[in-house]
Amino acid sequence: YLGIGKGFEPLLLLPIAFGMLLTNLPGAGMFHSEIFEGGHIHWDLIKNGVTLSNGANEAAGLIDILYLGVKLGIYPCLIFIGVGAMTDFGPLIANPKSLLLGAAAQLGIFIAYLGALGLSKLGIPGLEFTQKMAASIGIIGGADGPTAIYVTSRLASELLGPIAIAAYSYMALVPVIQPPIMRGLTTKKERMIRMDALRTVSKKEKIVFPIAVTAFVALLVPSAAPLVGSLMLGNLFRECGVVDRLSKTAQNELMNIVVIFLGVSVGATAKAESFLSPMTLGILAMGIVAFMCGTAGGVLLAKFMNIFLPEGKKINPLIGSAGVSAVPMAARVSQKEGQREDPSNFLLMHAMGPNVAGVIGSAVAAGVFIALFG
Protein backbone atom coordinates (compact mmCIF):
# COMPACT_ATOMS: atom_id res chain seq x y z
CA TYR A 1 0.00 0.00 0.00
CA LEU A 2 2.78 2.46 0.89
CA GLY A 3 4.69 1.62 -2.30
CA ILE A 4 1.80 1.62 -4.78
CA GLY A 5 -0.84 3.80 -3.11
CA LYS A 6 1.46 6.44 -1.61
CA GLY A 7 4.52 6.15 -3.86
CA PHE A 8 6.88 5.74 -0.87
CA GLU A 9 10.13 4.10 -2.07
CA PRO A 10 8.17 1.76 -4.41
CA LEU A 11 11.31 0.30 -5.98
CA LEU A 12 12.13 -1.37 -2.68
CA LEU A 13 8.93 -1.51 -0.65
CA LEU A 14 7.10 -3.36 -3.45
CA PRO A 15 9.63 -6.26 -3.73
CA ILE A 16 9.92 -6.40 0.09
CA ALA A 17 6.13 -6.63 0.46
CA PHE A 18 5.87 -9.37 -2.16
CA GLY A 19 8.68 -11.28 -0.43
CA MET A 20 6.63 -11.06 2.79
CA LEU A 21 3.66 -12.54 0.93
CA LEU A 22 5.68 -15.40 -0.56
CA THR A 23 7.28 -16.44 2.72
CA ASN A 24 3.93 -16.56 4.55
CA LEU A 25 2.14 -18.74 1.97
CA PRO A 26 1.69 -22.12 3.71
CA GLY A 27 3.38 -24.96 1.90
CA ALA A 28 5.15 -22.78 -0.69
CA GLY A 29 8.55 -23.82 0.70
CA MET A 30 10.38 -20.82 -0.78
CA PHE A 31 12.24 -19.73 2.36
CA HIS A 32 13.42 -21.79 5.33
CA SER A 33 14.69 -19.79 8.29
CA GLU A 34 16.30 -22.98 9.68
CA ILE A 35 19.00 -22.71 7.02
CA PHE A 36 20.17 -19.39 8.54
CA GLU A 37 19.42 -20.14 12.20
CA GLY A 38 21.85 -18.81 14.77
CA GLY A 39 23.21 -16.21 12.36
CA HIS A 40 25.10 -18.84 10.32
CA ILE A 41 24.56 -20.41 6.91
CA HIS A 42 23.93 -24.14 7.32
CA TRP A 43 25.30 -25.31 4.00
CA ASP A 44 24.36 -28.93 4.76
CA LEU A 45 20.67 -27.98 4.76
CA ILE A 46 21.04 -26.21 1.41
CA LYS A 47 22.65 -29.35 0.00
CA ASN A 48 20.48 -32.04 1.65
CA GLY A 49 17.19 -30.22 2.27
CA VAL A 50 15.26 -29.23 5.41
CA THR A 51 13.34 -31.68 7.59
CA LEU A 52 9.83 -30.36 8.27
CA SER A 53 7.78 -30.84 11.44
CA ASN A 54 5.83 -33.67 9.78
CA GLY A 55 9.07 -35.54 9.06
CA ALA A 56 9.12 -34.83 5.33
CA ASN A 57 12.25 -33.52 3.64
CA GLU A 58 12.00 -30.33 1.57
CA ALA A 59 14.68 -28.95 -0.76
CA ALA A 60 16.02 -25.43 -0.31
CA GLY A 61 13.71 -22.93 -1.97
CA LEU A 62 14.29 -20.13 -4.46
CA ILE A 63 14.44 -17.38 -1.83
CA ASP A 64 16.84 -19.47 0.29
CA ILE A 65 19.29 -19.21 -2.60
CA LEU A 66 18.61 -15.51 -3.24
CA TYR A 67 19.03 -14.72 0.45
CA LEU A 68 22.63 -15.93 0.31
CA GLY A 69 23.42 -12.63 -1.43
CA VAL A 70 22.16 -10.76 1.65
CA LYS A 71 23.79 -13.04 4.18
CA LEU A 72 27.17 -12.93 2.41
CA GLY A 73 27.00 -9.12 2.08
CA ILE A 74 26.93 -9.18 -1.72
CA TYR A 75 23.74 -7.24 -2.53
CA PRO A 76 24.37 -4.17 -0.33
CA CYS A 77 27.86 -3.76 -1.80
CA LEU A 78 26.55 -4.08 -5.37
CA ILE A 79 23.88 -1.45 -4.61
CA PHE A 80 26.61 0.84 -3.26
CA ILE A 81 28.45 0.53 -6.59
CA GLY A 82 25.27 1.79 -8.27
CA VAL A 83 24.79 4.57 -5.71
CA GLY A 84 28.40 5.67 -6.22
CA ALA A 85 27.91 5.77 -9.99
CA MET A 86 24.89 8.04 -9.52
CA THR A 87 26.48 10.38 -6.96
CA ASP A 88 28.32 13.63 -7.60
CA PHE A 89 30.75 14.30 -4.74
CA GLY A 90 31.61 17.72 -6.20
CA PRO A 91 29.62 19.72 -3.58
CA LEU A 92 31.42 17.85 -0.78
CA ILE A 93 34.85 18.43 -2.35
CA ALA A 94 34.05 22.11 -2.91
CA ASN A 95 32.96 22.59 0.71
CA PRO A 96 34.80 20.12 2.98
CA LYS A 97 33.06 21.58 6.07
CA SER A 98 29.95 19.73 4.95
CA LEU A 99 31.70 16.48 5.88
CA LEU A 100 31.27 17.50 9.54
CA LEU A 101 27.55 18.03 9.02
CA GLY A 102 27.26 14.58 7.49
CA ALA A 103 29.07 13.12 10.49
CA ALA A 104 26.86 15.02 12.98
CA ALA A 105 23.73 13.59 11.38
CA GLN A 106 24.91 10.11 12.40
CA LEU A 107 24.14 11.13 16.01
CA GLY A 108 20.80 9.34 15.72
CA ILE A 109 22.57 6.01 15.13
CA PHE A 110 24.30 6.08 18.49
CA ILE A 111 21.30 7.51 20.39
CA ALA A 112 19.09 4.69 19.10
CA TYR A 113 21.79 2.16 19.99
CA LEU A 114 21.92 3.44 23.57
CA GLY A 115 18.12 3.65 23.67
CA ALA A 116 17.74 0.01 22.68
CA LEU A 117 20.17 -1.03 25.41
CA GLY A 118 18.27 1.15 27.89
CA LEU A 119 14.95 -0.48 26.98
CA SER A 120 16.47 -3.89 27.57
CA LYS A 121 17.31 -2.95 31.15
CA LEU A 122 13.68 -2.04 31.88
CA GLY A 123 12.73 -5.71 31.63
CA ILE A 124 9.73 -5.15 29.34
CA PRO A 125 8.69 -8.53 27.84
CA GLY A 126 9.57 -8.75 24.15
CA LEU A 127 11.93 -5.76 24.27
CA GLU A 128 15.15 -7.45 25.33
CA PHE A 129 17.94 -6.45 22.96
CA THR A 130 21.53 -7.66 22.87
CA GLN A 131 24.32 -5.26 21.92
CA LYS A 132 24.32 -6.70 18.39
CA MET A 133 20.58 -6.13 18.09
CA ALA A 134 20.91 -2.58 19.47
CA ALA A 135 23.65 -1.77 16.95
CA SER A 136 21.48 -3.06 14.09
CA ILE A 137 18.52 -0.97 15.27
CA GLY A 138 20.70 2.12 15.64
CA ILE A 139 21.89 1.99 12.05
CA ILE A 140 18.31 2.82 10.93
CA GLY A 141 19.17 6.39 11.96
CA GLY A 142 21.61 6.64 9.07
CA ALA A 143 18.63 6.56 6.66
CA ASP A 144 20.56 4.20 4.42
CA GLY A 145 18.74 0.98 3.59
CA PRO A 146 21.65 -1.06 2.14
CA THR A 147 23.86 -0.17 5.12
CA ALA A 148 21.12 -1.17 7.58
CA ILE A 149 20.71 -4.50 5.78
CA TYR A 150 24.47 -5.07 5.63
CA VAL A 151 24.95 -4.50 9.37
CA THR A 152 21.86 -6.45 10.42
CA SER A 153 22.71 -9.46 8.25
CA ARG A 154 26.04 -9.66 10.08
CA LEU A 155 24.98 -8.87 13.62
CA ALA A 156 21.28 -9.73 14.11
CA SER A 157 19.86 -11.47 11.04
CA GLU A 158 16.70 -12.43 12.98
CA LEU A 159 15.73 -8.71 12.93
CA LEU A 160 16.40 -8.17 9.23
CA GLY A 161 12.73 -7.92 8.18
CA PRO A 162 11.55 -5.23 10.62
CA ILE A 163 14.81 -3.25 10.41
CA ALA A 164 14.80 -3.18 6.59
CA ILE A 165 11.14 -2.15 6.50
CA ALA A 166 11.71 0.55 9.13
CA ALA A 167 14.79 1.90 7.33
CA TYR A 168 13.12 2.18 3.92
CA SER A 169 9.80 3.44 5.31
CA TYR A 170 11.49 6.29 7.17
CA MET A 171 13.64 7.11 4.14
CA ALA A 172 10.41 7.48 2.18
CA LEU A 173 8.94 9.70 4.90
CA VAL A 174 11.83 12.20 4.88
CA PRO A 175 9.59 15.03 3.54
CA VAL A 176 7.15 14.41 6.40
CA ILE A 177 9.52 13.80 9.34
CA GLN A 178 12.22 16.39 8.76
CA PRO A 179 10.51 19.78 8.15
CA PRO A 180 8.92 20.21 11.64
CA ILE A 181 12.30 19.45 13.28
CA MET A 182 14.13 21.83 10.96
CA ARG A 183 11.69 24.67 11.65
CA GLY A 184 11.61 24.00 15.37
CA LEU A 185 15.41 24.24 15.74
CA THR A 186 16.02 27.32 13.55
CA THR A 187 14.91 30.93 13.46
CA LYS A 188 13.46 32.68 10.42
CA LYS A 189 16.69 34.66 10.09
CA GLU A 190 18.77 31.47 10.06
CA ARG A 191 16.53 29.85 7.45
CA MET A 192 17.05 32.88 5.19
CA ILE A 193 20.87 32.73 5.25
CA ARG A 194 22.29 32.82 1.73
CA MET A 195 25.47 30.92 0.97
CA ASP A 196 28.11 31.76 -1.63
CA ALA A 197 28.10 29.74 -4.84
CA LEU A 198 30.34 26.67 -4.66
CA ARG A 199 33.61 26.72 -6.57
CA THR A 200 34.03 24.58 -9.66
CA VAL A 201 35.65 21.23 -8.85
CA SER A 202 38.18 19.94 -11.38
CA LYS A 203 38.00 16.50 -12.99
CA LYS A 204 41.34 15.59 -11.39
CA GLU A 205 39.93 16.29 -7.92
CA LYS A 206 36.90 14.14 -8.65
CA ILE A 207 39.10 11.24 -9.76
CA VAL A 208 41.51 11.48 -6.81
CA PHE A 209 38.68 11.78 -4.25
CA PRO A 210 37.26 8.19 -4.42
CA ILE A 211 40.76 6.68 -4.40
CA ALA A 212 41.86 8.78 -1.41
CA VAL A 213 38.65 8.14 0.57
CA THR A 214 38.86 4.38 -0.01
CA ALA A 215 42.47 4.24 1.20
CA PHE A 216 41.79 6.47 4.22
CA VAL A 217 38.65 4.60 5.39
CA ALA A 218 40.21 1.18 4.80
CA LEU A 219 43.16 2.12 7.02
CA LEU A 220 41.00 3.82 9.68
CA VAL A 221 38.02 1.40 9.83
CA PRO A 222 38.87 -1.74 7.84
CA SER A 223 35.43 -3.29 8.43
CA ALA A 224 33.84 -0.35 6.52
CA ALA A 225 36.02 -0.97 3.45
CA PRO A 226 33.53 -3.24 1.59
CA LEU A 227 30.76 -0.61 1.63
CA VAL A 228 32.90 2.49 1.16
CA GLY A 229 35.13 0.77 -1.41
CA SER A 230 32.07 -0.27 -3.45
CA LEU A 231 30.64 3.25 -3.23
CA MET A 232 33.88 4.81 -4.40
CA LEU A 233 34.42 2.26 -7.17
CA GLY A 234 31.04 3.23 -8.63
CA ASN A 235 31.94 6.91 -8.29
CA LEU A 236 35.26 6.35 -10.05
CA PHE A 237 33.36 4.70 -12.93
CA ARG A 238 31.31 7.91 -13.16
CA GLU A 239 34.11 10.45 -12.91
CA CYS A 240 37.01 8.93 -14.85
CA GLY A 241 35.22 9.30 -18.18
CA VAL A 242 36.68 6.19 -19.82
CA VAL A 243 34.22 3.48 -18.71
CA ASP A 244 30.83 4.94 -19.62
CA ARG A 245 29.39 1.49 -20.27
CA LEU A 246 30.32 0.31 -16.78
CA SER A 247 28.96 3.50 -15.23
CA LYS A 248 25.62 3.22 -17.03
CA THR A 249 25.34 -0.50 -16.21
CA ALA A 250 26.01 0.17 -12.52
CA GLN A 251 23.39 2.95 -12.46
CA ASN A 252 20.69 1.02 -14.30
CA GLU A 253 20.81 -2.72 -15.08
CA LEU A 254 22.95 -3.83 -12.13
CA MET A 255 21.11 -1.60 -9.65
CA ASN A 256 17.66 -2.74 -10.80
CA ILE A 257 18.47 -6.45 -10.78
CA VAL A 258 20.05 -6.36 -7.33
CA VAL A 259 17.17 -4.29 -5.89
CA ILE A 260 14.71 -7.00 -6.98
CA PHE A 261 16.77 -9.81 -5.43
CA LEU A 262 17.48 -7.82 -2.27
CA GLY A 263 13.90 -6.69 -1.72
CA VAL A 264 12.27 -10.08 -2.22
CA SER A 265 14.80 -11.97 -0.09
CA VAL A 266 14.73 -9.40 2.75
CA GLY A 267 10.92 -9.41 2.76
CA ALA A 268 11.01 -13.20 3.03
CA THR A 269 12.62 -12.96 6.47
CA ALA A 270 9.41 -11.36 7.82
CA LYS A 271 7.58 -14.55 8.77
CA ALA A 272 4.41 -13.86 10.73
CA GLU A 273 5.53 -15.70 13.88
CA SER A 274 8.63 -13.53 14.21
CA PHE A 275 7.48 -10.26 12.63
CA LEU A 276 4.17 -9.70 14.46
CA SER A 277 5.63 -9.04 17.89
CA PRO A 278 6.22 -6.23 20.43
CA MET A 279 9.88 -6.25 19.37
CA THR A 280 8.90 -5.14 15.86
CA LEU A 281 6.90 -2.20 17.25
CA GLY A 282 9.86 -1.29 19.47
CA ILE A 283 12.20 -1.32 16.45
CA LEU A 284 9.84 0.92 14.46
CA ALA A 285 9.59 3.36 17.39
CA MET A 286 13.35 3.52 17.97
CA GLY A 287 13.95 3.84 14.23
CA ILE A 288 11.96 7.05 14.01
CA VAL A 289 13.68 8.41 17.14
CA ALA A 290 17.04 7.66 15.50
CA PHE A 291 15.97 9.44 12.33
CA MET A 292 14.72 12.51 14.19
CA CYS A 293 17.90 12.74 16.29
CA GLY A 294 20.05 12.44 13.17
CA THR A 295 18.16 15.32 11.54
CA ALA A 296 18.53 17.42 14.69
CA GLY A 297 22.25 16.61 15.01
CA GLY A 298 23.07 18.04 11.58
CA VAL A 299 21.03 21.22 12.13
CA LEU A 300 22.50 21.86 15.60
CA LEU A 301 26.09 21.41 14.44
CA ALA A 302 25.52 23.94 11.64
CA LYS A 303 24.21 26.41 14.22
CA PHE A 304 27.25 25.75 16.42
CA MET A 305 29.66 26.25 13.51
CA ASN A 306 28.03 29.60 12.75
CA ILE A 307 29.22 30.91 16.14
CA PHE A 308 32.80 30.84 14.81
CA LEU A 309 32.14 31.88 11.20
CA PRO A 310 32.22 35.55 10.11
CA GLU A 311 29.20 37.31 8.61
CA GLY A 312 28.82 36.43 4.95
CA LYS A 313 30.36 32.98 5.48
CA LYS A 314 27.72 31.49 7.74
CA ILE A 315 26.04 28.18 6.97
CA ASN A 316 22.30 27.91 6.52
CA PRO A 317 21.41 25.35 9.25
CA LEU A 318 18.76 23.81 7.02
CA ILE A 319 21.46 22.02 5.01
CA GLY A 320 22.59 20.20 8.17
CA SER A 321 19.43 18.08 8.09
CA ALA A 322 20.57 16.69 4.73
CA GLY A 323 23.37 14.86 6.55
CA VAL A 324 21.12 11.81 6.81
CA SER A 325 22.04 9.77 3.77
CA ALA A 326 18.67 9.68 2.00
CA VAL A 327 20.13 10.92 -1.32
CA PRO A 328 18.90 13.21 -2.87
CA MET A 329 15.56 13.45 -1.05
CA ALA A 330 16.97 15.04 2.13
CA ALA A 331 18.80 17.70 0.08
CA ARG A 332 15.54 18.52 -1.73
CA VAL A 333 13.78 18.98 1.61
CA SER A 334 16.48 21.49 2.66
CA GLN A 335 15.97 23.35 -0.62
CA LYS A 336 12.18 23.39 -0.20
CA GLU A 337 12.33 24.62 3.39
CA GLY A 338 14.79 27.37 2.44
CA GLN A 339 12.51 28.58 -0.33
CA ARG A 340 9.55 28.73 2.02
CA GLU A 341 11.27 31.71 3.65
CA ASP A 342 13.04 33.11 0.59
CA PRO A 343 11.89 31.84 -2.83
CA SER A 344 15.07 33.12 -4.49
CA ASN A 345 17.43 31.22 -2.15
CA PHE A 346 18.94 28.08 -3.69
CA LEU A 347 20.36 25.62 -1.18
CA LEU A 348 20.21 22.37 -3.17
CA MET A 349 23.87 22.13 -4.17
CA HIS A 350 25.00 23.23 -0.70
CA ALA A 351 22.76 20.56 0.85
CA MET A 352 24.16 17.87 -1.46
CA GLY A 353 27.52 18.17 0.33
CA PRO A 354 26.23 16.95 3.74
CA ASN A 355 23.89 14.56 1.94
CA VAL A 356 26.64 12.59 0.18
CA ALA A 357 28.87 12.95 3.26
CA GLY A 358 26.09 11.17 5.17
CA VAL A 359 26.43 8.15 2.88
CA ILE A 360 30.09 7.87 3.81
CA GLY A 361 29.34 8.59 7.46
CA SER A 362 26.70 5.87 7.80
CA ALA A 363 29.04 3.35 6.14
CA VAL A 364 31.82 4.26 8.59
CA ALA A 365 29.39 3.96 11.54
CA ALA A 366 28.40 0.54 10.21
CA GLY A 367 32.06 -0.45 10.08
CA VAL A 368 32.55 0.65 13.69
CA PHE A 369 29.63 -1.50 14.87
CA ILE A 370 30.83 -4.53 12.91
CA ALA A 371 34.36 -4.08 14.29
CA LEU A 372 33.01 -3.86 17.86
CA PHE A 373 30.37 -6.59 17.80
CA GLY A 374 30.87 -8.64 14.63
Side-chain angles (χ1 to χ4, degrees):
Y1 172 72
L2 289 175
I4 298 173
K6 298 295 184 181
F8 292 164
E9 291 287 335
L11 294 179
L12 264 156
L13 290 188
L14 189 59
I16 287 174
F18 208 83
M20 294 171 73
L21 171 65
L22 291 174
T23 198
N24 287 292
L25 292 174
M30 300 188 74
F31 180 74
H32 302 87
S33 55
E34 301 91 334
I35 292 176
F36 306 98
E37 198 169 346
H40 305 291
I41 302 171
H42 298 280
W43 296 100
D44 56 317
L45 297 182
I46 293 177
K47 180 180 178 182
N48 303 318
V50 178
T51 302
L52 305 179
S53 56
N54 60 8
N57 187 273
E58 191 169 78
L62 170 64
I63 299 179
D64 291 322
I65 305 303
L66 292 180
Y67 185 68
L68 290 173
V70 176
K71 192 62 190 165
L72 296 172
I74 297 171
Y75 296 155
C77 290
L78 291 179
I79 285 182
F80 259 52
I81 292 177
V83 171
M86 292 188 287
T87 301
D88 178 9
F89 285 102
L92 174 59
I93 300 170
N95 184 15
K97 290 195 295 291
S98 58
L99 188 63
L100 297 175
L101 300 176
Q106 309 315 309
L107 175 69
I109 292 176
F110 298 99
I111 288 179
Y113 163 70
L114 296 173
L117 291 180
L119 273 179
S120 300
K121 293 181 179 178
L122 296 178
I124 302 173
L127 292 179
E128 298 90 4
F129 300 107
T130 64
Q131 285 198 325
K132 289 185 177 183
M133 290 178 176
S136 300
I137 293 167
I139 210 71
I140 297 172
D144 191 333
T147 302
I149 290 169
Y150 185 81
V151 172
T152 307
S153 66
R154 277 171 160 51
L155 300 183
S157 55
E158 66 274 20
L159 300 182
L160 190 58
I163 284 177
I165 290 164
Y168 282 113
S169 297
Y170 294 141
M171 281 174 64
L173 290 171
V174 163
V176 177
I177 297 171
Q178 286 196 321
I181 300 169
M182 296 160 71
R183 290 180 217 136
L185 294 176
T186 56
T187 64
K188 182 179 179 71
K189 182 180 179 182
E190 286 174 328
R191 294 193 293 273
M192 293 182 69
I193 291 175
R194 289 174 174 257
M195 299 176 66
D196 295 335
L198 295 172
R199 69 175 179 84
T200 302
V201 178
S202 69
K203 181 177 179 179
K204 184 182 292 184
E205 288 176 292
K206 289 187 174 184
I207 292 173
V208 170
F209 180 79
I211 299 169
V213 169
T214 302
F216 179 77
V217 171
L219 292 172
L220 184 66
V221 189
S223 50
L227 287 175
V228 175
S230 298
L231 179 73
M232 293 303 157
L233 173 62
N235 187 248
L236 189 59
F237 286 166
R238 170 195 175 96
E239 302 297 354
C240 69
V242 294
V243 288
D244 285 345
R245 285 171 54 190
L246 298 184
S247 178
K248 289 175 182 175
T249 298
Q251 294 178 46
N252 298 291
E253 291 85 355
L254 177 65
M255 190 79 159
N256 292 334
I257 291 168
V258 176
V259 161
I260 294 171
F261 290 171
L262 176 71
V264 172
S265 53
V266 164
T269 65
K271 288 201 166 187
E273 58 267 25
S274 60
F275 188 78
L276 300 176
S277 66
M279 185 173 285
T280 299
L281 294 177
I283 289 170
L284 293 172
M286 283 182 288
I288 195 165
V289 169
F291 201 88
M292 293 167 69
C293 290
T295 300
V299 173
L300 292 174
L301 181 67
K303 288 168 67 79
F304 179 73
M305 291 169 68
N306 279 344
I307 296 173
F308 305 98
L309 293 173
E311 283 298 329
K313 297 293 181 181
K314 293 191 182 295
I315 299 169
N316 189 313
L318 293 176
I319 73 169
S321 66
V324 297
S325 57
V327 180
M329 198 183 305
R332 289 177 184 154
V333 171
S334 298
Q335 163 78 1
K336 184 177 178 182
E337 287 301 306
Q339 291 198 321
R340 280 170 62 95
E341 303 295 346
D342 180 359
S344 63
N345 194 5
F346 293 93
L347 296 174
L348 184 62
M349 291 311 295
H350 297 287
M352 282 302 297
N355 208 185
V356 297
V359 180
I360 301 173
S362 62
V364 170
V368 170
F369 279 145
I370 291 171
L372 290 174
F373 308 121

